[in-house]
Amino acid sequence: MLLDKINIKEVKGITPRKVKDLEALGVVTVEDFFQYYPFRYEDYRIQDLSEISDGDKVTLLGRIYSEPHVHRMGRTKSKLTCIVLVDNMLVTALWFNRHFLKDKLKLGQEIILTGKWEQSRKQMIVSESEFSGMAGKQSGELQPVYSLSGPVTQKWLRKSMVQALGQFGHLIQENLPEELVGKNNLMPRKQAILAIHHPASQEEGSIARQRIVYEELFMFQLKIQAYKAISHDRTEGIAHLIDSSAIREFAASLPFQLTASQKQVISEVIRDMREPHCMNRLLQGDVGSGKTVVAAAALFAAVKAGYQGALMVPTEILAEQHLKSFQGLFAPHGIRVGLLTGSFTKSQRKEILAFLLSGELNILVGTHALIQEGVYFRNLGLVVTDEQHRFGVNQRSVLRHKGLFPDILTMTATPIPRTLAITAFGDMDVSTLGEMPKGRIPIKTYSVKHDLFERVLKFIQKEIEQGRQAYVICPLIEESEKLDVQNTIDLHAQLQQYFTNYNVGLLHGRLAVREKEETMRRFSGNLIQVLVSTTVVEVGVDVPNATIMVIYDAERFGLSQLHQLRGRVGRGQHPSYCVLIANAKSEISRERMKVMAQTNDGFEIARRDLELRGPGDFFGTKQSGLPNFRAADLIADY
């Protein structure tokens, strides 16, 4: 019998109610349950006082030496203490809000204590305790710690896992060839699953995890390589007949010189477009590295080969910016560019679609309106999606099916180390823009404390008087009782009072799409001089006149997010500045501010972000589209 065919309800002791609780955790079958791996272990093995250090979480065995004493701290809080003899040393055991244990603590009784050790006071802050010889099932062992939500508890899940492994563990089958298991010195699968849930030592748990991680990454690579092979073997696709001299002519007509990196990436894209199978290429580059020009060259090549092109972007304002940019680049070559967004009237939409179907329109720029019913191209040859993580795979797929196997170029400014990107996006070829265009003025970044906010406002005032604009970013929309951080609504009111002769705009995620678009249009046209916003401006806004980015409570943001926000300025000819307002209390927060002030390189920042944040929360799947694994981590296990 296969484990993925056995419902979790077959495990003894799992009631219908608990079945529902497990389903909420993604556990439906016994196979799912066995693959619900712990993320760490609690060490309940009894230790010697000579082996432990200050701040360690430890388990000690001792004998109660004094009568327990309860100290009340207000109506709801209490402190319970007693002296325990451990290894011929008197230790103070301290429980918070556990006054009801007083009557259970008897002089001379053996007790097992688990908690945080405070060396200077010879004291333990107890989190768990049990009497020796009574409950002692978890003492003396490593216990798995699982990620939980809802009513499921660690104690219940541990007990149920032991039951499930005892009942169905014999059915675990090997799924890797013996040759691979031997060659890589891997633990057999059955042994690894038993050991990862209940290891005899930290080392055994680590070896078991290594086997499971290898298996996950191996299966993932197998799938994406198979998908890539199938895609490349298809003869369907467009072999664009592209004249190299036409591309050189386009490059020569640009109002700036291409960087060596842009030339390299354009040649990679053109080479793919000439092949008879579908191009599926990821173009990644730091903020401001010139991805749009690469997309323009690819679209130019598609049109010159006799096809149409489409560019899909996440917002209307970004679509309008690209339209304006493309019209300037393509006008000398007689290429017609159109726009389609959700705010078009029926008659406007009808007109643009008629031009598209007749082939009079060469390139269509738009939002998700491009993938709606009734949008038909005459002969679509290339699809470009900007900020690819903002569109779901299905949305990109729908656009692809608007043509007969068109080439696909996806662009992202989320920096991912190149080797990792090649692994993570294994079904795509990866191109990276590694240098900035010449003449781009580096953004100067400063980190200041909250008490200097008045000086920051004076600095903003000075820039506005010279005709410039500023962003002020906050982490919250409204005031929160739980978090002592600035919010956009209060700050907007405060800045309106300060900048009485200028317009201060407000932008956040709760505004309707139309309101957001209108606010950004007014900011783009310098009708708003200071824009107070949450992180909704993080991606896809190009206002060359904005020269100041102020980020309030900057310690609450990750490095990569701070870098994305900073990238909203420095897009014009004027010197630009990023001011991080932070009372960084932790070492990591201080280090983040330091890194931001030291470098403008997004790939270096991505690397440091990984070091400081750890692999677990480096890439939000929402942001980058990286795959989720049960045990493996693409960064830590690279």
Side-chain angles (χ1 to χ4, degrees):
M1 189 182 281
L2 296 174
L3 290 171
D4 60 356
K5 301 290 186 241
I6 306 172
N7 193 285
I8 194 66
K9 67 183 179 186
E10 301 300 324
V11 177
K12 287 173 189 169
I14 296 185
T15 62
R17 185 169 178 177
K18 286 296 183 190
V19 167
K20 291 267 186 237
D21 293 340
L22 287 172
E23 282 174 0
L25 295 175
V27 173
V28 176
T29 67
V30 172
E31 177 84 0
D32 294 334
F33 198 36
F34 287 171
Q35 291 182 2
Y36 198 79
Y37 304 121
F39 63 91
R40 66 179 174 87
Y41 302 101
E42 289 277 18
D43 192 346
Y44 289 101
R45 290 172 299 181
I46 293 166
Q47 288 164 277
D48 196 287
L49 280 175
S50 61
E51 300 170 349
I52 64 178
S53 304
D54 184 51
D56 285 353
K57 184 174 182 181
V58 297
T59 298
L60 302 174
L61 172 65
R63 195 174 294 280
I64 296 173
Y65 192 80
S66 75
E67 293 285 351
H69 176 71
V70 174
H71 175 66
R72 296 279 177 185
M73 301 181 292
R75 279 193 297 177
T76 56
K77 295 180 180 177
S78 66
K79 200 162 69 168
L80 170 65
T81 56
C82 78
I83 305 298
V84 177
L85 182 64
V86 180
D87 299 342
N88 295 319
M89 184 188 287
L90 295 177
V91 169
T92 303
L94 167 62
W95 291 260
F96 285 105
N97 305 319
R98 291 286 183 273
H99 56 275
F100 50 83
L101 291 176
K102 183 186 176 187
D103 296 337
K104 295 181 180 177
L105 302 174
K106 309 291 184 189
L107 278 173
Q109 191 173 29
E110 269 202 344
I111 190 168
I112 297 165
L113 304 169
T114 300
K116 183 181 175 185
W117 175 246
E118 294 185 338
Q119 182 73 38
S120 59
R121 299 182 181 183
K122 298 290 182 282
Q123 172 177 285
M124 175 188 274
I125 299 172
V126 183
S127 55
E128 298 171 62
S129 57
E130 58 184 74
F131 298 112
S132 178
M134 291 176 68
K137 286 202 174 177
Q138 71 174 14
S139 62
E141 296 180 352
L142 284 175
Q143 290 291 333
V145 179
Y146 299 92
S147 178
L148 300 177
S149 65
V152 178
T153 64
Q154 289 290 352
K155 193 173 179 181
W156 179 86
L157 199 142
R158 287 169 183 165
K159 184 182 166 190
S160 300
M161 188 66 75
V162 169
Q163 174 60 42
L165 288 166
Q167 198 176 334
F168 295 109
H170 64 284
L171 296 174
I172 297 169
Q173 295 179 356
E174 184 56 71
N175 58 5
L176 294 179
E178 277 181 40
E179 185 188 346
L180 268 184
V181 174
K183 181 184 169 187
N184 293 287
N185 199 23
L186 299 173
M187 190 181 271
R189 187 166 190 260
K190 181 179 174 181
Q191 186 186 341
I193 289 176
L194 292 171
I196 200 168
H197 290 292
H198 204 69
S201 64
Q202 290 278 7
E203 187 186 10
E204 188 184 55
S206 179
I207 293 168
R209 183 186 175 278
Q210 189 178 5
R211 150 67 210 228
I212 285 157
V213 165
Y214 180 92
E215 177 187 313
E216 278 196 323
L217 295 177
F218 179 79
M219 294 300 185
F220 171 66
Q221 283 293 316
L222 212 55
K223 283 176 191 170
I224 58 176
Q225 293 306 323
Y227 177 79
K228 191 172 183 176
I230 292 162
S231 305
H232 274 239
D233 286 347
R234 281 191 190 132
T235 50
E236 310 106 307
I238 299 164
H240 289 88
L241 298 172
I242 299 165
D243 186 349
S244 297
S245 62
I247 301 298
R248 285 196 292 272
E249 186 188 320
F250 173 72
S253 73
L254 295 171
F256 48 81
Q257 274 208 318
L258 292 172
T259 64
S261 190
Q262 284 171 324
K263 287 176 185 173
Q264 170 65 30
V265 170
I266 288 170
S267 72
E268 288 171 3
V269 171
I270 299 300
R271 187 181 66 233
D272 269 10
M273 289 176 71
R274 285 179 172 141
E275 294 291 324
H277 57 72
C278 292
M279 171 172 76
N280 190 17
R281 187 167 283 276
L282 175 74
L283 168 58
Q284 62 162 13
D286 203 354
V287 178
S289 59
K291 295 184 293 295
T292 307
V293 178
V294 174
L299 289 163
F300 175 85
V303 173
K304 285 296 175 185
Y307 292 89
Q308 291 170 302
L311 170 67
M312 186 164 72
V313 297
T315 65
E316 285 196 13
I317 186 108
L318 192 55
E320 287 170 6
Q321 286 172 355
H322 277 305
L323 174 74
K324 198 174 171 185
S325 168
F326 282 177
Q327 283 173 334
L329 295 176
F330 294 138
H333 306 281
I335 292 173
R336 293 176 300 284
V337 188
L339 177 72
L340 181 64
T341 68
S343 61
F344 271 38
T345 63
K346 217 170 183 179
S347 60
Q348 285 175 316
R349 191 172 187 272
K350 190 177 176 183
E351 184 184 25
I352 206 83
L353 293 180
F355 285 138
L356 191 65
L357 190 57
S358 69
E360 289 178 67
L361 201 61
N362 304 116
I363 296 168
L364 184 62
V365 178
T367 56
H368 64 278
L370 266 62
I371 58 175
Q372 288 173 350
E373 284 291 319
V375 179
Y376 300 108
F377 290 79
R378 183 177 178 81
N379 56 348
L380 181 62
L382 173 68
V383 172
V384 182
T385 55
D386 192 13
E387 295 307 338
Q388 58 95 17
H389 60 267
R390 300 290 279 267
F391 298 108
V393 174
N394 293 342
Q395 287 178 302
R396 296 201 298 275
S397 174
V398 170
L399 187 51
R400 183 172 211 157
H401 287 98
K402 296 282 181 186
L404 195 63
F405 304 108
D407 286 333
I408 300 286
L409 179 66
T410 58
M411 305 194 293
T412 180
T414 304
I416 307 165
R418 181 181 164 78
T419 47
L420 179 64
I422 290 166
T423 309
F425 300 104
D427 60 321
M428 304 171 92
D429 296 301
V430 180
S431 289
T432 302
L433 286 172
E435 63 180 306
M436 287 292 178
K438 284 179 181 135
R440 195 172 166 95
I441 307 167
I443 301 160
K444 290 183 179 173
T445 304
Y446 304 96
S447 176
V448 301
K449 293 193 173 168
H450 287 79
D451 54 12
L452 291 177
F453 189 48
E454 188 77 25
R455 279 176 65 181
V456 174
L457 292 180
K458 283 177 183 169
F459 183 52
I460 294 173
Q461 174 103 25
K462 193 175 155 192
E463 284 288 297
I464 295 174
E465 284 168 358
Q466 292 175 19
R468 308 285 87 78
Q469 291 162 273
Y471 296 95
V472 182
I473 306 297
C474 294
L476 294 181
I477 298 172
E478 294 169 341
E479 192 175 352
S480 164
E481 287 180 15
K482 293 181 183 175
L483 295 172
D484 182 24
V485 289
Q486 186 56 273
N487 66 86
T488 52
I489 292 170
D490 285 355
L491 191 59
H492 176 247
Q494 188 184 335
L495 295 192
Q496 276 182 317
Q497 289 178 346
Y498 189 90
F499 298 110
T500 50
N501 298 327
Y502 299 100
N503 287 327
V504 181
L506 177 63
L507 190 67
H508 56 72
R510 285 198 206 149
L511 293 175
V513 174
R514 289 277 174 278
E515 290 177 282
K516 286 185 206 167
E517 298 282 356
E518 182 53 32
T519 302
M520 277 315 306
R521 275 193 190 89
R522 294 184 66 220
F523 188 61
S524 295
N526 202 3
L527 297 172
I528 290 173
Q529 285 71 46
V530 180
L531 182 62
V532 179
S533 174
T534 56
T535 56
V536 292
V537 300
E538 183 183 342
V539 167
V541 182
D542 191 4
V543 183
N545 194 49
T547 56
I548 297 186
M549 168 62 69
V550 176
I551 304 172
Y552 216 99
D553 294 311
E555 74 276 7
R556 295 194 61 78
F557 300 96
L559 265 178
S560 289
Q561 194 173 30
L562 289 172
H563 180 62
Q564 288 289 326
L565 288 166
R566 175 169 62 183
R568 297 304 103 211
V569 296
R571 294 173 163 256
Q573 59 192 17
H574 307 288
S576 293
Y577 311 90
C578 177
V579 182
L580 308 170
I581 298 175
N583 282 341
K585 288 174 184 154
S586 73
E587 187 61 40
I588 288 178
S589 297
R590 285 193 290 276
E591 189 61 27
R592 275 189 198 147
M593 301 307 113
K594 197 168 148 192
V595 170
M596 286 295 293
Q598 284 172 346
T599 181
N600 280 296
D601 182 340
F603 289 93
E604 172 62 15
I605 282 168
R607 188 184 70 77
R608 295 302 304 275
D609 206 18
L610 166 60
E611 285 176 9
L612 293 172
R613 295 173 72 175
D617 58 353
F618 182 53
F619 292 126
T621 49
K622 188 176 135 202
Q623 270 235 326
S624 64
L626 288 174
N628 272 328
F629 296 105
R630 291 175 189 266
D633 184 290
L634 264 180
I635 318 292
D637 300 315
Y638 176 72

